[in-house]
């Protein structure tokens, strides 16, 4: 809804650490055109992203900047008008000359900063709400630092609240979703009503492996999504990898997705899922 185009599949960089530059460069080489990163908060550590490594890849690649879609995120500890604006300025600076002075999309990473992200008496502290952070992002757009702005990990009620005060509508709503943890219908309805693109992450089961899933058949700290009998059987019948089934499920619903691999040889395989001639049938989608 911002008037710009975003590739449906992005290469995620969380946890790549010292391999970030090498792997982002390889991802661009094999055909990825969207890169997802995030900015560390003032005075603290972020969510294991190496934005400097992304910058190194951007300056080394032969892919034109105009063909690359860069997403960064504001840490919840940097919420607040001025603090959010400084976060964006820091991100543009960190991404260096390869970003050519702008970021395609910046998201408010979380709607609140709980103790997991902002420990009591710690150095990371928001100076406002997500509404204040949004005003900072709108100012960043006005200054030409950012083209599109959005959110991540917001529920439907929080999205409605943001939309009610926003001068610029969110362009993207990111959230964890997989075939057994679908995008909530209420959030889908809000996004459809306002032309907001849904972007999912964790589609192949990472969140379950971190013990973040709700109680139920997948509760625990192991990733049983890739090895689930129904997923494996469908992948075998299609001649696909199980991960392809799990990501394709969302791409065929016209939702964007973030994929991640720390193994160079898997990057072309990950990109294969964007081939729209390879489709799940209506019955398989059900």
């Amino acid at each position: 809804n911002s008037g710009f185009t975003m590739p449906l599949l992005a290469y995620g960089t969380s946890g790549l650490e010292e391999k970030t530059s090498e792997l982002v460069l390889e991802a661009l080489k094999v055909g990825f055109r969207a890169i997802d990163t995030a900015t560390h908060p003032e005075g603290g550590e972020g969510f294991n992203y190496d934005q400097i490594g992304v910058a190194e890849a951007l300056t080394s690649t032969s892919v034109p900047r105009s063909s690359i879609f860069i997403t960064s995120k504001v840490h919840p500890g940097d919420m607040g008008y001025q603090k959010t604006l400084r976060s964006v300025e820091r991100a543009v600076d960190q991404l260096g000359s390869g970003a050519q002075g702008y970021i395609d999309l910046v998201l408010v990473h979380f709607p609140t900063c709980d103790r997991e992200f902002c420990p009591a008496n710690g150095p990371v502290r928001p100076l406002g709400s997500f509404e204040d952070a949004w005003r900072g992002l709108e100012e960043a757009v006005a200054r030409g630092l950012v083209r599109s702005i959005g959110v991540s990990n917001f529920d439907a009620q929080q999205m409605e609240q943001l939309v009610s005060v926003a001068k610029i509508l969110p362009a993207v709503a990111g959230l964890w979703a997989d075939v057994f943890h679908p995008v909530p219908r209420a959030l889908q309805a809000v996004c459809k009503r306002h032309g907001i693109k849904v972007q999912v992450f964790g589609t192949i089961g990472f969140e379950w492996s971190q013990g973040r899933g709700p109680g139920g058949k997948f509760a625990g700290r192991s990733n049983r999504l890739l090895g689930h009998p129904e997923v494996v059987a469908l992948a075998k019948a299609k001649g696909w990898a199980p991960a392809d089934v799990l990501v394709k499920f969302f791409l065929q619903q016209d939702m964007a997705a973030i994929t991640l691999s720390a193994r160079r040889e898997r990057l072309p395989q990950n990109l294969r899922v964007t081939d729209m001639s390879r489709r799940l049938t209506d019955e398989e989608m059900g």
Side-chain angles (χ1 to χ4, degrees), residues 23-261:
L23 288 168
V24 170
L25 192 60
E26 182 66 16
L28 291 169
K29 181 179 178 181
V30 302
F32 278 92
R33 290 296 177 265
I35 306 297
D36 181 85
T37 183
T39 308
H40 288 192
E42 288 182 353
E45 298 182 0
F47 298 113
N48 210 17
Y49 290 86
D50 179 9
Q51 201 155 243
I52 302 299
V54 174
E56 292 171 357
L58 292 175
T59 57
S60 300
T61 186
S62 61
V63 178
R65 171 65 180 96
S66 59
S67 298
I68 303 173
F69 191 97
I70 304 169
T71 299
S72 189
K73 295 179 282 293
V74 175
H75 190 279
D78 277 346
M79 289 194 297
Y81 174 76
Q82 290 291 349
K83 208 171 186 186
T84 295
L85 189 54
R86 288 198 302 270
S87 175
V88 175
E89 291 171 340
R90 194 163 63 252
V92 172
D93 183 62
Q94 288 176 354
L95 287 166
S97 60
Q100 297 185 7
Y102 72 93
I103 304 172
D104 296 275
L105 173 67
V106 174
L107 308 176
V108 178
H109 208 159
F110 286 87
T112 59
C113 198
D114 60 26
R115 289 192 176 186
E116 181 183 359
F117 310 136
C118 298
N121 302 316
V124 179
R125 272 284 175 272
L127 296 180
S129 64
F130 65 74
E131 293 97 332
D132 299 313
W134 195 254
R135 291 193 301 113
L137 290 185
E138 289 176 331
E139 178 60 25
V141 172
R143 295 186 185 187
L145 300 174
V146 182
R147 290 185 167 180
S148 303
I149 52 181
V151 299
S152 185
N153 300 295
F154 277 50
D155 62 26
Q157 184 175 0
Q158 291 161 336
M159 284 294 294
E160 289 281 26
Q161 173 60 23
L162 180 58
V163 166
S164 72
V165 300
K167 294 179 181 177
I168 300 175
L169 283 175
V172 170
L175 75 159
W176 162 37
D178 58 52
V179 293
F180 297 107
H181 184 261
V183 179
R185 291 182 180 180
L187 182 62
Q188 290 190 56
V190 175
C191 291
K192 183 177 181 179
R193 189 156 57 247
H194 299 287
I196 300 167
K197 174 64 71 174
V198 173
Q199 183 181 56
V200 297
F201 58 83
T203 54
I204 64 172
F206 175 77
E207 299 295 323
W208 297 104
S209 71
Q210 300 302 297
R212 296 178 185 141
K217 60 181 177 179
F218 287 112
R221 297 189 67 85
S222 62
N223 181 356
R224 286 179 277 174
L225 206 58
L226 287 171
H228 188 275
E230 292 180 35
V231 175
V232 172
L234 179 55
K236 185 177 180 179
K238 304 289 287 187
W240 298 0
D244 290 353
V245 172
L246 297 170
V247 178
K248 179 68 80 171
F249 177 77
F250 291 97
L251 297 186
Q252 280 189 212
Q253 297 180 69
D254 198 31
M255 296 181 188
I258 300 171
T259 188
L260 169 65
S261 177

